[in-house]
Amino acid sequence: MTTPILNGVLLVDDDTTTNFLNKLLLLTTMRVTKEVLVAENGAEALRILQERCTPPDGPGCPELILLDMNMPIMNGLAFLEAYFTLPPERRQHTVVAMLTTSLNPLDQVRVEQLPITGFLNKPLTREKVTTLLAEHFAAK
């Protein structure tokens, strides 16, 4: 891909190395987005969304959120529960995918009840990004 198809991606993960590598893959290697935002926990991610998604479909609002499950302060599940209380117009242009190494079966049951795209196992790869884009952003 040579032309970015997404305006922005939000990486939500407390692992700085993972964030660095994912940012490198999305921005430099694949060039699928114009901007990668990084939050190290769910609370920070919610603040970023509040700042960037005004108006709800504004150009600064990320179109894709890649979310880790296990983080300090606010984990992925708590983020999702808070995120889905936001008004629908603030969420309608964003795809959320869980990107994690493993998921506790009890957490997985709870997450499956929320309208997210699905689960991706770390590490993020070219193939996983290509599949995600084809499934959710093919019309762009």
Side-chain angles (χ1 to χ4, degrees):
M1 288 186 190
T2 56
T3 304
I5 63 167
L6 301 178
N7 289 325
V9 175
L10 174 58
L11 303 174
V12 187
D13 196 317
D14 62 323
D15 185 326
T16 56
T17 301
T18 296
N19 287 330
F20 174 79
L21 294 173
N22 289 345
K23 190 173 185 177
L24 188 66
L25 175 68
L26 294 167
L27 275 177
T28 307
T29 305
M30 294 185 72
R31 298 183 197 153
V32 299
T33 185
K34 296 174 185 172
E35 178 179 39
V36 175
L37 304 166
V38 176
E40 293 187 354
N41 61 68
E44 190 177 322
L46 288 171
R47 279 193 302 277
I48 289 171
L49 292 174
Q50 177 138 5
E51 293 168 6
R52 302 294 298 249
C53 298
T54 305
D57 60 348
C61 196
E63 294 174 274
L64 174 63
I65 298 173
L66 296 174
L67 177 67
D68 187 29
M69 183 54 131
N70 298 311
M71 297 174 287
I73 302 173
M74 179 184 268
N75 68 21
L77 185 58
F79 167 82
L80 288 173
E81 289 170 347
Y83 178 74
F84 287 110
T85 65
L86 297 175
E89 63 273 6
R90 292 192 79 118
R91 298 180 276 115
Q92 67 186 357
H93 301 289
T94 304
V95 171
V96 180
M98 185 71 65
L99 178 63
T100 189
T101 52
S102 65
L103 199 55
N104 177 310
L106 296 175
D107 289 341
Q108 186 168 353
V109 169
R110 289 173 67 194
V111 171
E112 286 173 351
Q113 295 170 353
L114 297 169
I116 67 167
T117 299
F119 300 93
L120 299 172
N121 286 319
K122 289 181 182 179
L124 189 61
T125 63
R126 177 184 290 274
E127 293 76 21
K128 290 173 186 173
V129 171
T130 301
T131 300
L132 188 65
L133 293 175
E135 289 175 0
H136 300 284
F137 299 99
K140 286 196 79 147

